[in-house]
Amino acid sequence: MKIALLTIHGLVRAENIELGRDPDTGGQIVYVLELAKALAQLSSVEWVQVWTKAIKDDRISPEYGQKVEPLLKNVPLEKACIVRIPCMGSEGYVPKERLWDQLDLLVDAILRYATQENKVPDVIHSHYADAGYVAIKVCSVLQCVHTHVGHSLGRTKLSVLETSGMKMEEIESQYHITRRIESEECCLDHASLIVTSTADEIESQWSLYNQKRRNIYVVIPPGIDLTRFHPPNLEEVSRDEYSSAYISCHASRFLSNPNKKVILMICRPDKKKNIENLIHIYGRSDHLRSIANLVLILGNRSNVDTMDIHSQEILLNVFKLIDLYDLYGNVMYPKQHEQHNVPEIYRYAASRKGVFVNISWFEPFGLTLLESAASGLPVIATCRGGAAEIIQCLGHGLVVDPSNFSQIEQSIQSILEDTSSWENYVQSGLKNLYRFSWDCHAKDFSQCLTSLLNQRTLQPLIHGKPFSDKKILVCDLDNVLLGDFASMSKLLATLDNIPSNFMDKVELWICTGRSIESSIQVLLLWGVHIFPKVIISSVGTEIYFLKMDECQIPFMKHSSVSNISLSWNESKLRIQWQETEGNSTDISTLAHSQEQCCCSSTFSHYLTYEKDTEYAQFLSCHKDWDRQKILNVIGKEWSSLMRLQSTENQRDFKISYDLVSNEQYEANLCSRLHKCLRQNALCASIWISLERHIDIVPAGISKSVAIRRAATLQGILLENMLVSVSVGADVDLIRGNIRSVTPANHDKCVEAYVKSSPPPPQLYLAKSSFAQGFLEGICHFRMLESFGGIIATDEANLSCLVFPPNVHRP
């Protein structure tokens, strides 16, 4: 099997991980790399790649901009490596809370890498909410299986922050917590498997989410690298000393009596780690100060003022508390450490018969507890989260309430002073540690993947065509191309004027909520004589390609259409009609004249569109798409608000409703409906257009996904596409490499989305409505300038495209 592990934030490299350099470079990075290395050892794995964001930033090592890095020295690069994917317009190092608006750019960068390099995986295993967001879209385009690890969950973090006294406005501003939580909800909708470290993670953390389907969880505890972490040898313990240049240097600088026992805490400077309260406990206890030193390894820092504001706050509080309790000579808190120093620090604490303390307000898992056990060091662990399960399994310490200072102090004291108990904890931890190994984790995970892959009916999407230099114009129907006859005519006339030697370089595509049958009929009735090469219909759930070798297309542009018939032959739709050529060459006269035009002759024509049947098969693989159950739930709980649209508007993978009254639309309607479906264990994406039309489709599916899939199949570069964004079902198209234009007649859903955050440079807000607004976008992005077009203004002072008169016309 081919596996991509997707981790987006933080600093990722195979060796010398800069753990604790910032809040984003922590245990997740270790987890991903160790898992990748273990998977690379399995014969069932053809290749494993760690996909992350390429970073070019003077503040960090140039290694993080290196495209490919080996994971293991004894494993070929082709089987295991880190791939850093450059993201258009986003090379700098960005904290994870500010990455959200760039994630769609990364989606497109990954799609390009995977298809260009022929590295489409069977499985994308995403880590954390941001990678989950990206994986949903990439997997929906490439037909990959999606699995996910949450690591740290937004709803749990929100609860901890609110308990600490932070206001929701501040939390939202700093952490974008709403987007994070919704991304996690979508992962529960879309992923085939959610890997958790403990049963507590399922029962007390994921249970906080609206999505109630239970068949997706599996508990696979992470492992520990026993080649790095091990107890001090007997000679070091018997001499009551531990030899390490790092320890010797810092112990002599910080500690008056380095031979005391050690109370050790290793974590990044984060509010949830409860660091200040450990200092309070230690500072107020004369007895603990007399028998033990406090060692705080709080990440790496060079200048506190240059760190993120949250880390600054914690570290300044630490410095103040050390001064308040006059702990100089009793506390060691070095500024820097290397990755290889961490095992040395554990062994130092173990050689001093010390104890490791993790009293986080909430700890999803607690990898440091495993590192302590492997190093022969007993622990004090928080009762909140998954840490208690580790203690129960290993038996190498005590569990405490992180808010109970007295209990924490007594627990530390009991372990430090009871030699027999201390030794029992050490031996228990070492004896039971076999349950936590990366080899076991990788084998269990690969078995889960094998089961998933054996159930699939489709292979991942393989890129079929080399990339071309074509320009693709993608219009919605009702709110863009159609709706205003004059502006439609102007857009079509502009496309007619493209020089004949460039005609095959420009394609018109349609992306609509209408069905394919309705789309074809309305195009013919409006007199659209440029037939779209691709029609994406039914809100991205169906894709059709024009079969040029099975068409008889008219040469005339101004005629009346009659006798339209549509017939299906398996996956092909054949459209036949008659056209009657009129005397007039004025298209607006043909459209609006009440007089009968003189006819010279009648012609019969036909078109053939072929359905992307593999895409339909892929949608049918969404096990939790239960059309009838969705109908039942909405009929039962929402019948007073929504009514089902007519039968011709329903499709296999689209359920369409209208609001009973336009006044019933509200901004949070989509989230309320999502919550209702999720609480009934139903998985879907919901799109609202024109404040009244509601379309429910399989989870992860959208117009955006369908456009990207069609582009991949046709070999189209996304940056060579321009799409219209006019209704709520289009907002998924706004961010990413595809350029987009919003006509002035866009609906409230688009308005709210554009106003909620600064529009990206790939989005143009047109001043005109309908097709004229789309034409503005063509001019703004200079889409056709390379074909001889010149940007000008017309008699109404609106943007238009003019081609020189001396070029040959079709």
Side-chain angles (χ1 to χ4, degrees), residues 427-494:
Q427 294 306 317
S428 179
L430 292 171
K431 181 180 68 174
N432 295 309
L433 195 60
Y434 72 92
R435 302 179 186 183
F436 297 90
S437 78
W438 282 113
D439 287 344
C440 289
H441 182 106
K443 288 175 184 175
D444 289 347
F445 180 53
S446 67
Q447 287 174 3
C448 291
L449 296 187
T450 299
S451 176
L452 288 173
L453 295 177
N454 285 341
Q455 297 172 40
R456 68 179 174 179
T457 57
L458 287 173
Q459 296 298 311
L461 185 69
I462 303 301
H463 178 45
K465 296 183 179 179
F467 284 122
S468 74
D469 59 352
K470 286 183 180 180
K471 306 288 185 180
I472 307 297
L473 308 176
V474 189
C475 276
D476 199 348
L477 279 179
D478 298 277
N479 229 34
V480 182
L481 183 61
L482 313 180
D484 179 73
F485 200 89
S487 61
M488 180 196 79
S489 302
K490 188 174 181 180
L491 173 61
L492 296 177
T494 300

XYZ file of all heavy atoms in Angstrom, residues 427-494:
538
model
N 10.134 -0.515 37.989
C 10.099 -1.858 37.423
C 8.782 -2.128 36.697
O 8.765 -2.789 35.649
C 10.316 -2.892 38.540
C 11.700 -2.845 39.164
C 12.807 -2.949 38.124
O 12.738 -3.761 37.189
N 13.834 -2.117 38.282
N 7.686 -1.638 37.262
C 6.385 -1.829 36.608
C 6.352 -1.140 35.247
O 5.865 -1.708 34.257
C 5.270 -1.289 37.509
O 4.005 -1.444 36.884
N 6.888 0.072 35.194
C 6.907 0.794 33.931
C 7.722 0.091 32.876
O 7.298 -0.052 31.715
N 8.907 -0.382 33.251
C 9.781 -1.061 32.297
C 9.179 -2.393 31.841
O 9.281 -2.770 30.672
C 11.151 -1.290 32.934
C 11.977 -0.022 33.207
C 13.210 -0.354 34.042
C 12.373 0.657 31.900
N 8.525 -3.119 32.768
C 7.961 -4.419 32.452
C 6.794 -4.312 31.463
O 6.626 -5.169 30.586
C 7.495 -5.095 33.739
C 6.899 -6.495 33.530
C 6.463 -7.118 34.843
C 5.267 -6.382 35.433
N 4.734 -7.062 36.644
N 5.988 -3.274 31.606
C 4.770 -3.161 30.789
C 4.919 -2.276 29.562
O 3.966 -2.103 28.795
C 3.623 -2.621 31.654
C 3.235 -3.585 32.749
O 2.993 -4.761 32.485
N 3.193 -3.106 33.986
N 6.106 -1.742 29.347
C 6.289 -0.771 28.264
C 6.144 -1.398 26.880
O 5.915 -0.688 25.897
C 7.673 -0.110 28.411
C 7.922 1.167 27.608
C 6.927 2.252 27.989
C 9.350 1.655 27.810
N 6.262 -2.733 26.801
C 6.155 -3.398 25.503
C 4.819 -3.099 24.819
O 4.683 -3.234 23.596
C 6.312 -4.910 25.684
C 5.129 -5.580 26.345
C 4.081 -6.117 25.589
C 5.031 -5.663 27.735
C 2.983 -6.712 26.193
C 3.937 -6.257 28.344
C 2.920 -6.778 27.579
O 1.827 -7.363 28.175
N 3.814 -2.694 25.616
C 2.509 -2.410 25.028
C 2.521 -1.121 24.199
O 1.572 -0.860 23.456
C 1.457 -2.293 26.137
C 1.349 -3.546 26.998
C 0.313 -3.388 28.087
N 0.312 -4.525 29.007
C -0.529 -4.664 30.018
N -1.436 -3.731 30.249
N -0.454 -5.714 30.808
N 3.558 -0.343 24.371
C 3.657 0.935 23.657
C 4.915 0.934 22.799
O 5.978 1.383 23.227
C 3.693 2.102 24.638
C 2.459 2.256 25.473
C 2.350 1.610 26.699
C 1.402 3.024 25.038
C 1.212 1.749 27.465
C 0.258 3.168 25.797
C 0.156 2.525 27.014
N 4.797 0.423 21.591
C 5.934 0.449 20.666
C 5.444 0.890 19.304
O 4.303 0.599 18.916
C 6.588 -0.926 20.576
O 5.836 -1.791 19.759
N 6.313 1.564 18.576
C 5.926 2.035 17.250
C 5.763 0.865 16.278
O 4.963 0.928 15.343
C 6.942 3.046 16.725
C 6.754 4.389 17.353
C 7.600 5.037 18.199
C 5.608 5.241 17.212
N 7.061 6.235 18.598
C 5.838 6.397 18.000
C 4.407 5.149 16.508
C 4.921 7.435 18.105
C 3.493 6.186 16.598
C 3.754 7.313 17.382
N 6.515 -0.202 16.500
C 6.345 -1.377 15.647
C 4.933 -1.933 15.786
O 4.276 -2.258 14.793
C 7.371 -2.447 16.023
C 8.778 -2.086 15.576
O 8.892 -1.189 14.725
O 9.734 -2.677 16.090
N 4.482 -2.056 17.048
C 3.112 -2.552 17.275
C 2.083 -1.593 16.691
O 1.096 -2.020 16.071
C 2.862 -2.738 18.768
S 3.754 -4.128 19.500
N 2.310 -0.287 16.895
C 1.373 0.711 16.371
C 1.278 0.591 14.848
O 0.185 0.573 14.283
C 1.837 2.118 16.769
C 0.909 3.205 16.327
N 0.072 3.876 17.199
C 0.658 3.751 15.104
C -0.638 4.778 16.534
N -0.291 4.716 15.260
N 2.446 0.531 14.182
C 2.459 0.473 12.720
C 1.764 -0.791 12.214
O 1.012 -0.754 11.227
C 3.895 0.540 12.214
N 2.007 -1.938 12.875
C 1.378 -3.186 12.446
C -0.138 -3.125 12.623
O -0.900 -3.530 11.729
C 1.965 -4.352 13.234
C 3.399 -4.700 12.827
C 3.979 -5.784 13.712
C 5.437 -6.051 13.349
N 6.059 -7.028 14.276
N -0.583 -2.620 13.778
C -2.032 -2.515 14.006
C -2.672 -1.558 13.010
O -3.753 -1.824 12.465
C -2.300 -2.037 15.437
C -1.970 -3.101 16.478
O -1.770 -4.265 16.093
O -1.911 -2.751 17.674
N -2.010 -0.430 12.771
C -2.545 0.561 11.836
C -2.591 -0.005 10.422
O -3.592 0.152 9.710
C -1.686 1.824 11.892
C -2.132 2.925 10.963
C -3.439 3.385 10.971
C -1.241 3.506 10.075
C -3.850 4.397 10.118
C -1.637 4.516 9.228
C -2.939 4.959 9.237
N -1.531 -0.684 10.012
C -1.499 -1.240 8.649
C -2.575 -2.310 8.468
O -3.145 -2.452 7.374
C -0.120 -1.815 8.332
O 0.154 -2.946 9.121
N -2.877 -3.060 9.530
C -3.955 -4.048 9.446
C -5.312 -3.365 9.241
O -6.147 -3.839 8.463
C -3.968 -4.912 10.701
C -2.820 -5.904 10.774
C -2.766 -6.654 12.093
O -3.631 -6.472 12.954
N -1.749 -7.483 12.275
N -5.510 -2.258 9.940
C -6.752 -1.485 9.742
C -6.843 -0.977 8.312
O -7.911 -1.026 7.679
C -6.804 -0.318 10.725
S -7.024 -0.774 12.448
N -5.714 -0.487 7.780
C -5.707 0.033 6.409
C -5.967 -1.085 5.405
O -6.703 -0.888 4.430
C -4.370 0.711 6.109
C -4.016 1.954 6.922
C -2.740 2.595 6.386
C -5.158 2.971 6.906
N -5.357 -2.233 5.630
C -5.574 -3.359 4.720
C -7.052 -3.722 4.651
O -7.601 -3.977 3.573
C -4.757 -4.574 5.185
O -3.366 -4.231 5.173
C -5.002 -5.773 4.282
N -7.701 -3.712 5.800
C -9.141 -4.014 5.833
C -9.933 -2.979 5.050
O -10.839 -3.328 4.274
C -9.618 -4.054 7.288
O -11.013 -4.254 7.363
N -9.598 -1.710 5.221
C -10.293 -0.645 4.484
C -10.062 -0.769 2.985
O -10.997 -0.635 2.179
C -9.822 0.724 4.966
C -10.274 1.180 6.356
C -9.577 2.479 6.743
C -11.787 1.370 6.401
N -8.811 -1.024 2.597
C -8.487 -1.072 1.177
C -9.089 -2.296 0.508
O -9.416 -2.271 -0.683
C -6.967 -1.045 0.988
C -6.273 0.246 1.450
C -4.762 0.136 1.272
C -6.805 1.454 0.693
N -9.249 -3.377 1.262
C -9.879 -4.575 0.697
C -11.359 -4.359 0.403
O -11.940 -5.064 -0.428
C -9.719 -5.753 1.656
C -8.307 -6.310 1.660
O -7.539 -6.078 0.724
N -7.944 -7.028 2.707
N -11.955 -3.376 1.082
C -13.380 -3.100 0.884
C -13.648 -2.139 -0.272
O -14.774 -2.028 -0.731
C -13.973 -2.504 2.163
C -13.939 -3.430 3.366
C -14.355 -2.720 4.630
O -15.285 -1.916 4.634
N -13.668 -2.987 5.731
N -12.612 -1.444 -0.721
C -12.854 -0.416 -1.739
C -13.095 -1.046 -3.106
O -12.598 -2.141 -3.411
C -11.669 0.559 -1.811
C -10.400 -0.052 -2.345
C -9.263 0.941 -2.423
N -8.031 0.270 -2.817
C -6.876 0.883 -2.991
N -6.779 2.181 -2.794
N -5.793 0.210 -3.341
N -13.838 -0.353 -3.917
C -14.150 -0.841 -5.264
C -13.416 -0.046 -6.343
O -13.465 -0.407 -7.510
C -15.662 -0.744 -5.524
O -16.088 0.613 -5.337
C -16.428 -1.644 -4.565
N -12.744 1.046 -5.949
C -12.043 1.895 -6.908
C -10.609 2.134 -6.464
O -10.339 2.279 -5.272
C -12.728 3.260 -7.035
C -14.055 3.325 -7.785
C -14.646 4.707 -7.638
C -13.856 2.987 -9.254
N -9.721 2.192 -7.434
C -8.346 2.593 -7.158
C -8.268 4.123 -7.129
O -9.153 4.811 -7.634
C -7.413 2.047 -8.245
C -7.351 0.534 -8.291
C -6.806 -0.069 -7.008
O -5.778 0.355 -6.507
N -7.508 -1.063 -6.469
N -7.216 4.690 -6.539
C -7.066 6.153 -6.571
C -7.012 6.677 -8.001
O -6.632 5.962 -8.933
C -5.730 6.387 -5.841
C -5.542 5.180 -5.002
C -6.155 4.044 -5.758
N -7.397 7.925 -8.145
C -7.437 8.562 -9.463
C -6.020 8.748 -10.001
O -5.157 9.289 -9.315
C -8.126 9.919 -9.347
C -8.380 10.684 -10.639
C -9.436 9.983 -11.471
C -8.833 12.106 -10.321
N -5.772 8.281 -11.194
C -4.468 8.439 -11.822
C -4.564 9.554 -12.863
O -5.475 9.575 -13.683
C -3.997 7.136 -12.491
C -3.953 6.009 -11.452
C -2.638 7.319 -13.138
C -3.037 6.273 -10.280
N -3.607 10.475 -12.807
C -3.604 11.604 -13.727
C -3.357 11.091 -15.138
O -2.321 10.479 -15.410
C -2.508 12.576 -13.298
C -2.358 13.766 -14.191
N -3.436 14.483 -14.652
C -1.258 14.376 -14.688
C -2.996 15.493 -15.397
N -1.684 15.435 -15.425
N -4.302 11.331 -16.044
C -4.238 10.742 -17.360
C -3.550 11.572 -18.424
O -2.991 11.025 -19.358
N -3.588 12.901 -18.330
C -3.080 13.739 -19.406
C -1.985 14.667 -18.889
O -2.034 15.117 -17.746
C -4.213 14.583 -20.002
C -5.309 13.778 -20.680
C -6.343 14.705 -21.299
C -7.440 13.909 -21.998
N -8.464 14.800 -22.591
N -1.004 14.976 -19.732
C -0.004 15.986 -19.330
C -0.658 17.360 -19.238
O -1.675 17.630 -19.891
C 1.017 15.928 -20.468
C 0.257 15.387 -21.639
C -0.758 14.441 -21.082
N -0.089 18.218 -18.408
C -0.667 19.543 -18.235
C -0.580 20.342 -19.527
O 0.431 20.314 -20.235
C 0.047 20.308 -17.119
C -0.343 19.843 -15.740
C 0.620 19.378 -14.853
C -1.658 19.862 -15.336
C 0.263 18.952 -13.585
C -2.031 19.436 -14.075
C -1.060 18.979 -13.196
N -1.661 21.035 -19.846
C -1.714 21.876 -21.040
C -1.710 23.341 -20.624
O -1.790 23.671 -19.445
C -2.985 21.569 -21.840
O -4.121 22.113 -21.180
N -1.622 24.218 -21.629
C -1.650 25.658 -21.351
C -3.034 26.249 -21.633
O -3.182 27.456 -21.799
C -0.591 26.391 -22.181
C -0.784 26.186 -23.685
O -1.639 25.352 -24.070
O -0.068 26.833 -24.468
N -4.060 25.409 -21.655
C -5.413 25.900 -21.922
C -5.892 26.834 -20.822
O -5.539 26.678 -19.655
C -6.389 24.728 -22.030
C -6.290 23.932 -23.311
C -7.355 22.846 -23.343
C -7.280 22.033 -24.637
N -8.308 20.972 -24.670
N -6.741 27.789 -21.206
C -7.439 28.649 -20.263
C -8.884 28.154 -20.163
O -9.544 27.937 -21.186
C -7.434 30.105 -20.741
C -6.053 30.659 -21.053
C -5.234 30.891 -19.805
C -3.910 31.572 -20.164
N -3.075 31.818 -18.976
N -9.350 27.993 -18.929
C -10.680 27.450 -18.706
C -11.542 28.483 -17.997
O -11.165 29.013 -16.949
C -10.622 26.159 -17.855
C -9.645 25.154 -18.466
C -12.011 25.560 -17.702
C -10.020 24.663 -19.837
N -12.689 28.779 -18.579
C -13.650 29.729 -18.014
C -14.846 28.933 -17.507
O -15.538 28.273 -18.289
C -14.084 30.740 -19.071
C -12.949 31.462 -19.815
C -13.508 32.365 -20.902
C -12.077 32.250 -18.846
N -15.074 28.970 -16.200
C -16.122 28.151 -15.579
C -17.233 29.063 -15.058
O -17.026 29.845 -14.125
C -15.559 27.297 -14.420
C -16.614 26.306 -13.938
C -14.293 26.560 -14.842
N -18.403 28.965 -15.658
C -19.543 29.818 -15.297
C -20.650 29.020 -14.619
O -20.919 27.876 -14.996
C -20.160 30.444 -16.557
S -19.358 31.938 -17.111
N -21.289 29.645 -13.654
C -22.578 29.139 -13.204
C -23.607 29.534 -14.269
O -23.353 30.412 -15.098
C -22.933 29.754 -11.846
C -24.007 28.953 -11.116
O -24.626 28.080 -11.732
O -24.208 29.220 -9.928
N -24.749 28.870 -14.246
C -25.768 29.178 -15.245
C -26.663 30.343 -14.838
O -26.525 31.457 -15.335
C -26.623 27.929 -15.519
C -26.043 26.895 -16.480
C -26.999 25.727 -16.613
C -25.780 27.518 -17.838
N -27.556 30.094 -13.883
C -28.660 31.021 -13.642
C -28.227 32.396 -13.143
O -28.836 33.396 -13.476
C -29.640 30.393 -12.644
C -30.253 29.121 -13.201
O -31.230 29.217 -13.949
O -29.731 28.042 -12.894
N -27.200 32.456 -12.359
C -26.834 33.728 -11.743
C -25.669 34.408 -12.440
O -25.254 35.483 -12.026
C -26.496 33.505 -10.259
C -27.209 34.475 -9.356
O -28.334 34.872 -9.643
N -26.570 34.866 -8.271
N -25.124 33.760 -13.493
C -23.947 34.334 -14.162
C -24.152 34.351 -15.677
O -24.430 35.396 -16.251
C -22.657 33.558 -13.786
C -21.433 34.208 -14.448
C -22.468 33.531 -12.277
N -24.016 33.201 -16.315
C -24.095 33.185 -17.771
C -25.479 33.607 -18.242
O -25.626 34.391 -19.192
C -23.762 31.782 -18.297
C -23.738 31.638 -19.818
C -22.685 32.553 -20.433
C -23.475 30.184 -20.210
N -26.501 33.094 -17.582
C -27.870 33.431 -17.953
C -28.444 34.419 -16.944
O -27.927 34.565 -15.843
C -28.727 32.164 -17.994
C -28.124 30.959 -18.746
C -29.086 29.790 -18.704
C -27.765 31.338 -20.170
N -29.508 35.058 -17.313
C -30.137 36.023 -16.413
C -30.200 37.408 -17.012
O -31.154 38.147 -16.789
N -29.189 37.780 -17.788
C -29.197 39.066 -18.496
C -28.721 38.799 -19.920
O -27.548 38.487 -20.151
C -28.287 40.076 -17.797
C -28.262 41.397 -18.521
O -29.255 42.137 -18.455
O -27.235 41.694 -19.179
N -29.632 38.934 -20.866
C -29.335 38.526 -22.240
C -28.231 39.364 -22.869
O -27.358 38.847 -23.576
C -30.614 38.612 -23.083
C -30.552 37.798 -24.329
C -30.948 36.469 -24.323
C -30.084 38.352 -25.511
C -30.874 35.705 -25.483
C -30.014 37.598 -26.668
C -30.408 36.258 -26.669
N -28.259 40.654 -22.604
C -27.268 41.545 -23.229
C -25.853 41.204 -22.778
O -24.923 41.121 -23.588
C -27.607 43.003 -22.898
N -25.659 40.976 -21.441
C -24.310 40.689 -20.970
C -23.867 39.288 -21.393
O -22.693 39.052 -21.666
C -24.221 40.852 -19.451
O -25.079 39.962 -18.778
N -24.820 38.335 -21.482
C -24.471 37.021 -21.997
C -23.974 37.133 -23.441
O -22.962 36.532 -23.824
C -25.698 36.098 -21.953
C -25.425 34.689 -22.476
S -26.923 33.742 -22.868
C -27.339 34.447 -24.472
N -24.689 37.913 -24.230
C -24.308 38.085 -25.637
C -22.924 38.710 -25.757
O -22.127 38.335 -26.629
C -25.336 38.965 -26.353
O -26.623 38.400 -26.250
N -22.636 39.641 -24.864
C -21.338 40.307 -24.898
C -20.213 39.332 -24.565
O -19.148 39.338 -25.201
C -21.341 41.477 -23.911
C -20.105 42.361 -23.985
C -20.276 43.574 -23.084
C -19.058 44.476 -23.159
N -19.207 45.666 -22.283
N -20.447 38.483 -23.567
C -19.429 37.492 -23.202
C -19.212 36.509 -24.339
O -18.068 36.205 -24.702
C -19.862 36.750 -21.930
C -18.986 35.565 -21.504
C -17.560 36.016 -21.216
C -19.581 34.860 -20.293
N -20.305 36.011 -24.938
C -20.165 35.059 -26.036
C -19.491 35.694 -27.246
O -18.678 35.050 -27.927
C -21.542 34.508 -26.432
C -22.263 33.680 -25.358
C -23.639 33.254 -25.859
C -21.452 32.459 -24.955
N -19.809 36.964 -27.502
C -19.167 37.661 -28.628
C -17.668 37.797 -28.380
O -16.859 37.687 -29.317
C -19.805 39.039 -28.810
N -17.277 38.046 -27.138
C -15.864 38.131 -26.806
C -15.159 36.814 -27.098
O -14.068 36.783 -27.675
C -15.680 38.494 -25.318
O -16.294 39.760 -25.063
C -14.214 38.563 -24.941
